Each structure stands twice: as structure tokens, then as C-alpha cells.
């Protein structure tokens, strides 16, 4: 199994979608690349993200990127749906250089490459979100989500 982190706005919908994808074995709501190792205190530069554990024999990083692009607006800087702010930026993070290379190759191959604002960076820090944010839309299906329900359930 391998691990990659996807930031696509509010993590509730991102997690609900990613956990239905083929080859994904585990997801966890969290924060990527902030400066703190705690959930306490002021905003520290993190992006809301979903830790994604996947089987590379079933799904590749490029395929995961394709799925990811179904649920984000890749041209929107620090905003997805009604969620606005740096913590809602789009990004892909990993501790494996190969993952980052695959993600960048996916972006470069797109005709709209020059307009895309999805960051692709090494994971420098990860903090698991509070329990109330784990699988939030499963527990509270009527909570706000910027991803339409038809797309959320597309791969179930």
C-alpha cells in the first residue's frame, strides 16, 4: 500500500468521494503542510486534506489525479464552492517523489496546464483532524458539501 494526500476544499466531501474509488483502502481527514503538530492555536498554513492509502496494483497516481479533477475546480485559488481561504486550496502532497512526479506529469499533459493552480509538493507535515471531521458526510449526510451528491456517489 502507498499513501498520498489530496486537498480539494472542504475535506468532508473529498473524503466521501475518495473512499469510494477503486484501489483506495483507507482515508483519513487531516491537515497537510502546516507548521504545527497540533489542532490547537491559530491557522498555521495547512491545507485541509484527505490522507489516501491505495493499492498501486489497482489504481495509479495518475488515475487518482483524474478522479480528483472530477471534484475540484483546478483554476480556483484558495476557494472551492462556498469555502474560501488558504486552507481550502487545492493540492497533492506525498513523501514519495515518484508520486509528485506522476501528479506533475498529469498536470503537464493537460491542455489547460497554464491555468491550473493545484499545488504539488512534498508532504512536510500531517495532522489528523478531530474525530468529528472523520467520515463527516457518512455521519451527517445533509451537511454542506461543495461536491454534488451525484458525483459523490458516482463510484459507489
Amino acid at each position: 500500500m502507498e499513501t498520498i494526500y489530496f486537498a480539494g476544499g472542504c475535506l468532508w466531501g473529498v473524503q466521501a468521494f475518495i473512499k469510494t474509488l477503486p484501489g483506495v483502502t483507507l482515508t483519513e481527514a487531516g491537515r497537510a503542510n502546516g507548521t504545527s503538530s497540533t489542532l490547537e492555536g491559530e491557522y498555521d498554513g495547512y491545507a485541509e486534506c484527505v490522507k489516501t492509502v491505495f493499492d498501486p496494483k489497482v489504481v495509479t497516481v495518475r488515475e487518482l489525479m483524474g478522479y480528483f479533477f472530477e471534484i475540484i475546480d483546478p483554476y480556483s485559488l484558495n476557494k472551492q464552492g462556498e469555502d474560501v481561504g488558504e486552507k481550502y486550496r487545492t493540492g497533492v502532497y506525498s513523501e514519495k517523489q515518484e508520486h509528485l512526479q506522476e501528479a506533475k506529469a498529469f498536470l503537464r499533459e493537460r491542455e489547460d496546464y497554464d491555468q491550473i493552480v493545484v499545488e504539488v509538493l512534498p508532504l512536510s507535515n500531517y495532522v489528523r483532524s478531530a474525530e468529528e471531521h472523520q467520515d463527516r458526510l457518512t455521519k451527517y449526510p445533509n451537511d454542506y458539501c461543495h461536491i454534488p451528491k451525484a458525483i459523490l456517489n458516482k463510484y459507489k
Side-chain angles (χ1 to χ4, degrees):
M1 296 300 146
E2 297 183 10
T3 304
I4 193 167
Y5 302 77
F6 290 99
C10 175
L11 54 80
W12 298 346
V14 177
Q15 183 178 28
F17 177 77
I18 288 178
K19 74 181 185 179
T20 69
L21 299 178
V24 172
T25 59
L26 182 137
T27 61
E28 180 178 87
R31 299 174 172 186
N33 289 3
T35 58
S36 173
S37 59
T38 177
L39 298 174
E40 306 303 319
E42 294 190 23
Y43 175 70
D44 68 352
Y46 67 85
E48 287 197 4
C49 75
V50 175
K51 177 180 181 179
T52 304
V53 178
F54 67 99
D55 183 344
K57 293 178 184 141
V58 177
V59 66
T60 67
V61 169
R62 282 183 193 228
E63 289 168 328
L64 289 171
M65 290 291 292
Y67 291 125
F68 181 54
F69 267 59
E70 291 184 41
I71 60 167
I72 64 166
D73 175 352
Y75 318 120
S76 182
L77 184 63
N78 299 332
K79 180 182 186 312
Q80 292 292 303
E82 295 178 25
D83 298 311
V84 179
E86 188 180 352
K87 71 180 181 175
Y88 298 116
R89 68 188 179 274
T90 53
V92 180
Y93 314 97
S94 180
E95 295 173 305
K96 288 188 75 170
Q97 192 60 37
E98 301 83 38
H99 291 169
L100 301 176
Q101 290 168 348
E102 286 184 66
K104 287 177 182 178
F106 172 89
L107 297 177
R108 278 193 306 273
E109 290 169 5
R110 292 179 54 98
E111 291 180 14
D112 57 355
Y113 175 70
D114 292 342
Q115 300 165 53
I116 295 173
V117 295
V118 177
E119 63 184 17
V120 178
L121 296 169
L123 182 74
S124 60
N125 185 26
Y126 173 77
V127 178
R128 183 183 191 277
S129 289
E131 192 56 40
E132 67 192 63
H133 295 292
Q134 304 300 325
D135 294 307
R136 178 74 181 200
L137 290 182
T138 300
K139 298 173 194 166
Y140 304 97
N142 294 323
D143 275 1
Y144 166 75
C145 180
H146 67 282
I147 304 167
K149 284 189 190 230
I151 296 174
L152 278 178
N153 299 314
K154 184 175 178 179
Y155 298 102
K156 275 191 173 177

